[in-house]
Amino acid sequence: MEPDHKIGEKVGLLPGSLVYVGENNNVPTHITAMQYNKMNFTERNIKEKDFFIREELRHFLHTKGKVGWVNVNGLSDIILMRSFGDSLRLDPLVLEDILNTQQRPKVEVFSDHIFFVLRMLSYDQEKEEVNVEQVSFILGNSFVISFQEREGDVFEMVRVRLRKKWGNLRFRGSDYLLYSLLDMIVDNYFLILECLSHKVAQMEERILSENLDDQNVPAIIQKNKKIILTVQQAVYPLREAINKLQRNESGLIDERTVKFLSDVQDHTLQVTDNIESFRDMNTGLQDVYLSTLSNNLNQVMKILTIISTIFIPLTFIVGLYGMNFKYMPEIGWKYGYLFSWGLMVTVVITLFVFFKRKRWL
Amino acid sequence: MEPDHKIGEKVGLLPGSLVYVGENNNVPTHITAMQYNKMNFTERNIKEKDFFIREELRHFLHTKGKVGWVNVNGLSDIILMRSFGDSLRLDPLVLEDILNTQQRPKVEVFSDHIFFVLRMLSYDQEKEEVNVEQVSFILGNSFVISFQEREGDVFEMVRVRLRKKWGNLRFRGSDYLLYSLLDMIVDNYFLILECLSHKVAQMEERILSENLDDQNVPAIIQKNKKIILTVQQAVYPLREAINKLQRNESGLIDERTVKFLSDVQDHTLQVTDNIESFRDMNTGLQDVYLSTLSNNLNQVMKILTIISTIFIPLTFIVGLYGMNFKYMPEIGWKYGYLFSWGLMVTVVITLFVFFKRKRWL
Amino acid sequence: MEPDHKIGEKVGLLPGSLVYVGENNNVPTHITAMQYNKMNFTERNIKEKDFFIREELRHFLHTKGKVGWVNVNGLSDIILMRSFGDSLRLDPLVLEDILNTQQRPKVEVFSDHIFFVLRMLSYDQEKEEVNVEQVSFILGNSFVISFQEREGDVFEMVRVRLRKKWGNLRFRGSDYLLYSLLDMIVDNYFLILECLSHKVAQMEERILSENLDDQNVPAIIQKNKKIILTVQQAVYPLREAINKLQRNESGLIDERTVKFLSDVQDHTLQVTDNIESFRDMNTGLQDVYLSTLSNNLNQVMKILTIISTIFIPLTFIVGLYGMNFKYMPEIGWKYGYLFSWGLMVTVVITLFVFFKRKRWL
Amino acid sequence: MEPDHKIGEKVGLLPGSLVYVGENNNVPTHITAMQYNKMNFTERNIKEKDFFIREELRHFLHTKGKVGWVNVNGLSDIILMRSFGDSLRLDPLVLEDILNTQQRPKVEVFSDHIFFVLRMLSYDQEKEEVNVEQVSFILGNSFVISFQEREGDVFEMVRVRLRKKWGNLRFRGSDYLLYSLLDMIVDNYFLILECLSHKVAQMEERILSENLDDQNVPAIIQKNKKIILTVQQAVYPLREAINKLQRNESGLIDERTVKFLSDVQDHTLQVTDNIESFRDMNTGLQDVYLSTLSNNLNQVMKILTIISTIFIPLTFIVGLYGMNFKYMPEIGWKYGYLFSWGLMVTVVITLFVFFKRKRWL
Amino acid sequence: MEPDHKIGEKVGLLPGSLVYVGENNNVPTHITAMQYNKMNFTERNIKEKDFFIREELRHFLHTKGKVGWVNVNGLSDIILMRSFGDSLRLDPLVLEDILNTQQRPKVEVFSDHIFFVLRMLSYDQEKEEVNVEQVSFILGNSFVISFQEREGDVFEMVRVRLRKKWGNLRFRGSDYLLYSLLDMIVDNYFLILECLSHKVAQMEERILSENLDDQNVPAIIQKNKKIILTVQQAVYPLREAINKLQRNESGLIDERTVKFLSDVQDHTLQVTDNIESFRDMNTGLQDVYLSTLSNNLNQVMKILTIISTIFIPLTFIVGLYGMNFKYMPEIGWKYGYLFSWGLMVTVVITLFVFFKRKRWL
């Protein structure tokens, strides 16, 4: 939600200047490469990154009959990133977008590759925040390259399916691989929704049971609002982006894959619907909370008023007969004390009747 | 409104993986089949489900000159569902959508069939909630297949009309059957609206009569909000879906039926109009409730203030003459006591006049 | 605003089933027929309704060189309505729409007639509510048929103009008659706006003069809201409907009449603008009312606080010298009593200065 | 904002009936006529209005090589207006629109003239209201006719420019004259914005300095709201109208003038932007005012609570030792009185510490 | 946000009249000129402004093979501006737009140049306001002219890149120079966002920690609102403007530069997204603040109620035994005093239990 604070450092630089603006500035870059077709599957953990990028990469990505997937974790090594760009002949602006991790989700179609950038969300249970990580994809005819800000992603299932030849991932092209990765990211949005659903429901229950003391309700509502805004900013532009991907005419997306992208699009719309609902529910909670506070105040004030209203006249009466006038007839009466009690009981009963009528008791 | 909690289990699975995410996981699958034309009508309760699906289904659905309607209740038997898909040569994604019961209402047009998924709503009087059930339809040239999550639906009238040859259902094709089923579902939305109308009106009356104690008003308003959101999520995407159905060029929808679909579309718009109104009225209730609370608080505070303001000076006076100074002239006066009463009556009258002017009394 | 409660009875019926869902179930049907051209004008009050519909109607409507207007009041006689439909060869769905008096305003164009349904509004001064009545029109080449739910309408001026040959109504075709009737209905919306304007202005004046006690302000604001919603639901869909009417290519609407329909359209937009303003003003009233309540509460609390704050220390002082300690020097002082008064006056003056500084006095 | 109350009188009249619905019913009609080209300029104050309209007008307007501008102030003389319409061969509906001074701003294009109606706004400093006056224009090939409701307008500068031959007004056609008049009207909207800006800023300052007593803040905010609504209703439809004027193909608007109309359009958008901002700021003021009230209440309550909380225990203590029990040890103590003071001082110090911790002092 | 107060002075002037409406009326005009190609770079600080504009400018701007950039600071010298307009053969309306510094951001395309006006924002740390300055560009085939209201801009980096031949600015045409300048302006919007992000986060933290006393929260929220509105008014129309620039067919924008403009467009969208979020967060703060105030009031009232409720009955009891009746049995009891203490302790314990149950303690 907040523009990254380092984005200020970028102001005034050359367009196409490579500055990584993310938070994890000293994450070492880690590259893995997979290559597969129906028959074969190889997986490599690249150690000599520099050598790989400059000498092997182009050959690796254009092996005939095989699909290659290169995954890059950690974007802070600018020199490495630049040689990536050179090797793949990327537009300088694309490379800048990969590093400038505050991009809106978008698709850009080039003659022989497609650039896709979107946001991977994960919920941090402890901080009760949503972690946002920018993921960029470059889809070529026979390869996908993915760039992530840090280790840890939601693609493990795709790797397993490739290794174990589950599903038809091994039988399809690079576009289907891209789809599978997108699908994973969008599916994970639902996990955020679940957490949110849980939090909103819990908060609602607590407010409605008027059990308000131990929790800072406005803070939690505001926190939910932030999460909702984060998801919205990730999902809303994604719709257009996937649309553009489906309609592109580069020939990089197979007819059959378009159908699967529609499925992802449907999920995106579903997330949108749900997030709108949560937004409404969360705003509703605010209203309910304020009503509850007002209601509590009313209760408190009624109790204060009842007690004050009953005792104030009594205190007056006892004060009355505490006066020291020499000539006060009641003082000398034999049943004066009883009389004063009688007076007080009468007042109390009268007030009780009054409050009963007002339905305060 | 809330994404089903089991949707999390689906994350990371193969696209087209069949997992039933609904709540009624152990509902046994129950299949009924009807076949009719102007002359004949047969109805079967399928016992040997497996055999029926694999051996009879295709033949049953494509009987010349007859329309077939197969209704499936309970979606948890994955194996059965898969053989359904195989038998009908459904796209794996369609089968996945049928089982993944969190779909937005939508239409997908294939070469020889149309897939329609929407939400059937019913109001649970006891829990004061709306039950949501996903219903999927597959419309072929001479058949409709409907999938429901559980027993109990709103189609009973259609069955009766088929059996008794009421109306012209028996004289028309499968598209008209689909229309009739849609019509039933949308008509039932009006029942929800009626309940909502009743609840909102009742709540309004109660708030405006300031009879607020026995009910948790914010909870009810929030509940209404949820119902409204649920209906909105069911109805809004339905508009587009029916539009797409009307405009599709598959030849599966007869010209004459398009007119009837317009009628359903009109009802959908009517539901939309009404639900928007309820939304406004419900939000209005919240405002009215808060005003009423504030108003009540004002009343309470006025009473407290009046009583305090009258008795506090009196109590001061009686305290004054309760002091023990040796030299206090009033104490010794013959009519001192009377004098003090006179003082007090004067104070009370003055305050009465003051409050009258302030229009508090 | 509220879906009619009888609409529930319709759920599950055959499409095209005729059930009148309005409130005036036992209003006897009343039919009048007029026929005119430049020269002649005849007006009949139909007694033998059944005979007229079955035998005379078609002939009456298609008299060469004459325009016919048949007006039907009261829709509860289903049999009569059905024979109407037969006689005019109406689509069953149209007949159903005429009876199902919860329709959104809409236009449906058929080959030889146009169906127009909209809402006639009138303001009930006593109940302070808006009465809604559905009016349906069927426009043919040489006739207009109008259906109303009950006696009493806004068409009297049109009748007078026909009878007395005022304006050019008698010189034009049936499309101009339809326009004149529409115009009457839309013009009457302005009367509702006037009442609303009056009510909102009055309420505003009362709130701003803080004269709040005798009126239930939230109730009135909520009532206004309902009226506004009712007008909105009548007017918003009307825009599209008139648009469709203007653009239709059936040849039933003369070029010259299209210009007049634009005029009605302008009025519709004017109503829309005004109703939006009233909506804003009404919502504003709610805010003003809440501010006024808060402000009042502040005033009350200040008075309470001032009085309490002044007397509480005084009461303490008089209590102090009411203590019975044997050894209390002040008690024995000759001017002890004067001293205590001096003390109290000092306290009061100090507090006055304090409140002056706080600008509370 | 409010539909004029006389609009009700129009309901039921013939379409094209001429009724002036404005407020200034007895304003005498006043006509001025100007005629100019590069060389010549004549200005006439028409006395024999009837004669002028019937005999001279058509000739006046169609003088070759000259542009004519006829300005009409005061619309209540229906007969005069009708002869205007006859003379200019205006559509009856146009004439009706000129008189019915509640029109939405709009443009209507006829074969040989264009009808433009919009709202002239001026700010009444005393009543703190916006005066709305409908101005209608008829643009012909060589003339502009303007209709205003009353004397006083914003066109004085245009007249001066015509008389003194300033700018290129005298060198251009009637379309440029129309543009100049429009420009004047739209420029005057900015004066309203300035007043509004001033009022909002002043109000904001006053609220934020918590100097709330002498002003009825909600009333002022509501008044601003009305002004904003009035401007919005004048400006929003104007956008479309000017658009239509620019795109019209009647040949009455010169290419070169279209560019100037774009400039007016830009100003309209600027007004729209500003008015939206004011709307937001004004709504914000409401919130700020409510916060300030709440905050004030909190301060008041804190003072009351502090004073009550300090004195209530003290009053209890002095009451305690005012009891008359025969056997009360403290009473007889030599330092009993001092002891009681010690007790009281202890209580006060304890409470001070408590309030310090609560940060109330 | 506020229309400049001097804009009123412009009302009624000739279209194309040159009046500078900005605040810095007596800023002396300052002109610098740069000229460059791959090889050469010259920079001049123009002293004889009048001579330069009239004699040298046209030649300077149309030097073959070189790109010229003339920057003008300070617009109050109308005569100078007019000779600029004459020299460049600008449309009078364009010149007027340059001086009238309240323009909406927009693009206007002429046959041989493009006019672009937008807003340069900078954050004033001390006043906590956003400074708005209008910047206008005229893009010709081989030149860019920029007009600013005052000294100080965000273009320093561009100047350095030109001087030091960094990046490819020296290798590209005037369109790329325009892009670079736009890019600088839009990049600076992010700095405003950062400040805003910081302020909102800080305010949120302070409110949620209920540390409310030292700050005027509503004032700060309102101030943030103004900043947000200012940025919105600068950014929203900019989107359209850049779009129009990209799609223009004047041939002045190179294909390769269009891609870079897309990048600026992306940044604009990013600013839009962020500003929407801040708007939401800021509105949320208002709600949180009100809740916190209400909550505080509740706490205060509870304390007051608890203390009052405990001491009021005690004060009654001690008053009771302070009465002077001759015949009061308790007074004479040996353990009367102890009994009264017992009574009071019982009352206190009872009330404690009551409050515990209410969860107030």
Side-chain angles (χ1 to χ4, degrees), chain A residues 146-307:
Chain A
S146 51
F147 297 91
Q148 304 180 44
E149 293 187 65
R150 51 185 168 270
E151 294 291 319
D153 57 32
V154 299
F155 301 149
E156 210 45 45
M157 239 354 257
V158 175
R159 291 193 189 95
V160 170
R161 275 149 64 191
L162 281 174
R163 285 176 201 133
K164 307 214 168 164
K165 211 175 167 177
W166 285 355
N168 45 8
L169 194 49
R170 289 269 291 275
F171 300 87
R172 308 285 289 266
S174 58
D175 55 341
Y176 193 81
L177 174 60
L178 177 68
Y179 150 71
S180 304
L181 298 170
L182 286 183
D183 194 41
M184 282 297 137
I185 290 173
V186 173
D187 273 7
N188 265 275
Y189 293 169
F190 285 101
L191 292 180
I192 312 274
L193 293 186
E194 269 184 52
C195 293
L196 209 50
S197 158
H198 186 65
K199 284 183 70 178
V200 169
Q202 207 180 17
M203 183 55 33
E204 192 183 340
E205 200 183 325
R206 202 174 288 150
I207 295 174
L208 292 176
S209 68
E210 307 196 3
N211 178 2
L212 298 173
D213 293 331
D214 49 339
Q215 290 277 335
N216 192 340
V217 177
I220 293 171
I221 290 172
Q222 187 81 343
K223 227 171 200 171
N224 289 346
K225 200 171 195 177
K226 268 188 206 162
I227 297 176
I228 289 167
L229 282 171
T230 307
V231 178
Q232 282 185 327
Q233 289 201 353
V235 176
Y236 283 2
L238 192 55
R239 282 194 306 211
E240 303 169 41
I242 295 178
N243 246 327
K244 201 172 164 189
L245 193 62
Q246 285 177 295
R247 289 191 323 257
N248 93 81
E249 295 178 341
S250 64
L252 289 167
I253 308 277
D254 194 277
E255 267 298 298
R256 289 179 301 170
T257 308
V258 167
K259 194 183 63 183
F260 286 96
L261 288 174
S262 296
D263 197 57
V264 176
Q265 188 71 305
D266 283 351
H267 290 175
T268 311
L269 290 174
Q270 216 174 315
V271 173
T272 308
D273 275 15
N274 278 312
I275 208 78
E276 296 276 355
S277 292
F278 286 132
R279 191 187 178 118
D280 272 24
M281 295 308 292
N282 198 45
T283 314
L285 280 189
Q286 176 73 22
D287 294 343
V288 173
Y289 177 63
L290 274 175
S291 307
T292 309
L293 279 184
S294 284
N295 209 5
N296 281 356
L297 183 61
N298 274 14
Q299 295 309 319
V300 170
M301 293 315 299
K302 272 189 192 167
I303 287 171
L304 177 60
T305 303
I306 289 169
I307 289 178

Side-chain angles (χ1 to χ4, degrees), chain D residues 176-194:
Chain D
Y176 194 81
L177 175 60
L178 177 67
Y179 149 70
S180 304
L181 298 170
L182 286 183
D183 194 40
M184 283 296 138
I185 291 174
V186 173
D187 273 8
N188 265 274
Y189 293 169
F190 284 100
L191 293 179
I192 313 273
L193 292 186
E194 270 184 51

Side-chain angles (χ1 to χ4, degrees), chain C residues 154 157-158 161 166-168 176 179-180 183-184 187-188 190-191 193-194 197-198 200-201 204 208-210 259-260 262-263 266-267 269-270 273-278 280-285 287-288 290-292 294-295 297-299 301-302 304-306 308-309 312-313 315-316 318-330 351 354-355 358-360, chain D residues 1-16 91-93 96-97 100 102-104 106 108 110 119 210-211 213 216 218-220 222-223 225-226 229 232-233 237 279 283 286 289-290 292-294 296-297 299-301 303-304 307-308 311-312 314-315 317-319 321-325 330-341 344:
Chain C
V154 299
M157 242 351 258
V158 174
R161 276 151 62 190
W166 285 354
N168 46 8
Y176 193 81
Y179 150 70
S180 305
D183 194 39
M184 283 297 138
D187 272 7
N188 265 274
F190 285 100
L191 294 179
L193 292 186
E194 270 184 50
S197 159
H198 186 65
V200 169
E204 192 184 339
L208 291 176
S209 69
E210 306 197 4
K259 193 183 61 180
F260 286 95
S262 295
D263 197 57
D266 283 351
H267 291 175
L269 290 174
Q270 216 174 315
D273 275 16
N274 279 312
I275 208 76
E276 296 276 354
S277 292
F278 287 133
D280 272 24
M281 295 308 292
N282 198 46
T283 314
L285 281 188
D287 293 344
V288 174
L290 275 175
S291 307
T292 310
S294 284
N295 209 5
L297 184 60
N298 273 12
Q299 296 307 320
M301 292 317 298
K302 271 188 194 167
L304 178 59
T305 302
I306 289 169
S308 302
T309 309
I312 283 176
T315 304
F316 164 70
V318 301
L320 188 71
Y321 296 115
M323 293 198 293
N324 295 324
F325 286 107
K326 287 222 170 85
Y327 309 99
M328 265 181 86
E330 297 97 323
L351 287 168
F354 175 76
F355 289 133
K358 285 259 169 195
R359 298 205 209 172
W360 289 10
Chain D
M1 236 234 54
E2 307 164 24
D4 197 282
H5 288 256
K6 274 188 240 138
I7 214 169
E9 297 175 8
K10 269 214 82 198
V11 173
L13 293 186
L14 295 171
D91 192 296
L93 287 174
E96 194 190 351
D97 284 349
N100 185 348
Q102 303 295 327
Q103 295 303 316
R104 291 182 97 220
K106 69 172 175 179
E108 274 176 27
F110 295 88
R119 298 190 186 174
E210 306 196 3
N211 179 2
D213 293 330
N216 193 339
I220 293 172
Q222 186 80 344
K223 228 172 199 171
K225 199 171 194 176
K226 268 189 206 160
L229 283 170
Q232 283 186 328
Q233 288 200 355
R279 192 188 178 118
T283 314
Q286 177 73 25
Y289 177 64
L290 275 175
T292 309
L293 280 184
S294 283
N296 282 356
L297 184 60
Q299 295 307 320
V300 171
M301 293 315 299
I303 288 171
L304 178 60
I307 290 178
S308 302
F311 279 99
I312 283 176
L314 300 188
T315 303
I317 291 169
V318 300
Y321 295 115
M323 292 198 294
N324 295 323
F325 287 106
E330 296 97 324
I331 295 293
W333 291 354
K334 192 161 186 190
Y335 298 106
Y337 183 47
L338 263 178
F339 163 76
S340 74
W341 268 112
M344 290 189 286

Side-chain angles (χ1 to χ4, degrees), chain D residues 36-53:
Chain D
Y36 64 88
N37 61 12
K38 287 180 214 179
M39 303 301 161
N40 307 299
F41 173 81
T42 58
E43 182 168 9
R44 292 171 56 189
N45 194 342
I46 310 297
K47 294 253 162 88
E48 298 178 18
K49 291 170 277 190
D50 223 51
F51 179 78
F52 174 76
I53 292 169

Side-chain angles (χ1 to χ4, degrees), chain B residues 1 4 38 40 91 194 206 212 220 246 255 286 305:
Chain B
M1 234 232 56
D4 198 283
K38 289 180 215 180
N40 306 302
D91 191 295
E194 270 185 50
R206 202 173 290 150
L212 299 172
I220 293 171
Q246 286 177 295
E255 267 298 298
Q286 176 74 23
T305 303

